[in-house]
Amino acid sequence: MSVTFSRRRLLAAATLTAGGAVTGCTGGDSARTPTPSPPPESLDPLEPILTGALALVAAYDRAAEFFPELATRLAPLREQSAEHVLALQLALAVPTMTPPSPAVSTGTSAGSGTGLPTGHPGTSPTSAPGASPPVDPAAALAGLRARLGAIRSATGQLCLTTTAERAPLIGSLTAATACHDLLLA
Amino acid sequence: MTPESIEAVQDALAAEHAVIWGYGAVGAAVSDELRSVVVMVEATHRSRRDATADLLRAAGAEPVVAQTSYELPFAISTQEAAVQLGEQLESGCAASWRHVLGRTEEAELRRTARDHLIDAAVQAMRWRQTAGVTPASVAFPGQ
């Protein structure tokens, strides 16, 4: 039984970026990477979920900042979303006893349609540096609901394929996200 | 279905039986307007109960039957108490289906349990909204 640590994967990914040695150990290599880095397909499926959850919390904060009249309504949802972030971080920090199945892994590589905003964490039309803020509260709410819809879709799908250990958490996140979306309707 | 998942689904079915019974008490203590909501919600649980029983039979298990009587957690003499019970019924239901998620590797059973968890979480939220409780959502439904 293999044990997967996300930290190991992150270290390996950093080495991949630094040394580019994934093509193999040729003569004259710096030999900083005695073993090839794991391919992107072994990304923990919770990582993009966490990215989306972090971006959501940031979006709540931005909306409340631009439109203080929304703050009271958004505050409890923002707090609950922050709790989701913590739970996801905790789940990612726990070594998993079984590796993600290939069907799960390939489904989470960038651009494969998980439903989460693609691109860099936190990047969206409303969060990219220099981007214009939401036009009005309605636009801010629509933006939040779009994020919630994507998260619900991604967690809902992951619930079907993740480990039995993680499925209850992912199910709760799906349900909570569905509720939050309804509260912003 | 594995024995472990069958056991978890049986527990969820038992919860549905209890919820259906509980809504009888809720309906008796609320206004006519709210009673029509209770009737609809109870109907949802009845069809879920029936579908769950079918699922168990298909897996070769004999579905657990409802108890002849249940104990109310508190007196339901006001509409306020009835709505609070409604919320508790749905929260308990959510917990049962969340439990199923952790007891199976089957995608289809996960899908069923996930959808029931979502529905129960949403209905629990609706009861909190009816009661004027804020926030109406909880961070981890079913936990």
Side-chain angles (χ1 to χ4, degrees):
Chain A
M1 193 184 319
S2 66
V3 176
T4 307
F5 289 85
S6 63
R7 183 184 306 162
R8 177 184 298 162
R9 181 196 61 76
L10 288 172
L11 286 174
T15 307
L16 169 64
T17 307
V22 84
T23 51
C25 299
T26 57
D29 213 334
S30 66
R32 286 194 296 159
T33 56
T35 54
S37 309
E41 287 73 37
S42 68
L43 177 74
D44 190 314
L46 284 196
E47 296 276 8
I49 305 286
L50 173 60
T51 298
L54 283 162
L56 175 65
V57 172
Y60 275 122
D61 289 341
R62 261 194 322 278
E65 182 188 339
F66 281 118
F67 308 108
E69 66 270 35
L70 291 180
T72 305
R73 184 179 183 189
L74 297 182
L77 275 59
R78 188 267 186 210
E79 287 316 306
Q80 291 175 1
S81 297
E83 288 189 61
H84 296 166
V85 165
L86 287 175
L88 287 164
Q89 289 172 330
L90 192 65
L92 277 162
V94 174
T96 56
M97 296 310 291
T98 52
S101 67
V104 173
S105 307
T106 53
T108 56
S109 52
S112 64
T114 58
L116 286 171
T118 54
H120 299 293
T123 300
S124 76
T126 56
S127 69
S132 50
V135 172
D136 56 22
L141 290 177
L144 288 168
R145 293 196 68 194
R147 290 180 183 275
L148 289 169
I151 290 170
R152 177 188 175 160
S153 176
T155 53
Q157 183 55 37
L158 181 60
C159 195
L160 307 185
T161 55
T162 191
T163 62
E165 190 183 3
R166 288 175 165 183
L169 169 63
I170 301 305
S172 285
L173 295 191
T174 310
T177 304
C179 288
H180 290 177
D181 186 44
L182 289 170
L183 287 174
L184 293 184
Chain B
M1 285 171 63
T2 63
E4 185 187 21
S5 61
I6 286 173
E7 185 182 355
V9 174
Q10 292 278 29
D11 287 345
L13 176 57
E16 294 290 344
H17 285 312
V19 166
I20 289 162
W21 183 91
Y23 271 123
V26 173
V30 297
S31 65
D32 291 345
E33 185 190 354
L34 271 187
R35 191 171 303 119
S36 63
V37 172
V38 173
V39 166
M40 278 197 314
V41 173
E42 189 184 326
T44 301
H45 283 280
R46 286 182 188 276
S47 57
R48 191 184 300 158
R49 171 201 63 191
D50 294 345
T52 305
D54 288 345
L55 180 68
L56 286 164
R57 281 190 208 98
E62 189 57 41
V64 297
V65 296
Q67 292 174 207
T68 48
S69 69
Y70 294 86
E71 204 175 292
L72 287 170
F74 46 84
I76 311 299
S77 49
T78 63
Q79 172 155 302
E80 190 180 57
V83 170
Q84 190 181 345
L85 177 59
E87 181 202 342
Q88 288 194 14
L89 293 174
E90 296 295 340
S91 295
C93 185
S96 300
W97 288 109
R98 185 183 195 266
H99 183 75
V100 172
L101 288 175
R103 294 293 182 271
T104 181
E105 301 282 1
E106 291 176 59
E108 277 316 298
L109 182 53
R110 290 266 185 91
R111 183 190 305 278
T112 298
R114 176 202 70 187
D115 291 347
H116 294 337
L117 166 56
I118 293 170
D119 288 345
V122 168
Q123 191 54 52
M125 180 182 75
R126 295 301 188 204
W127 286 127
R128 277 190 291 276
Q129 286 178 304
T130 300
V133 169
T134 54
S137 61
V138 296
F140 301 99
Q143 191 162 18

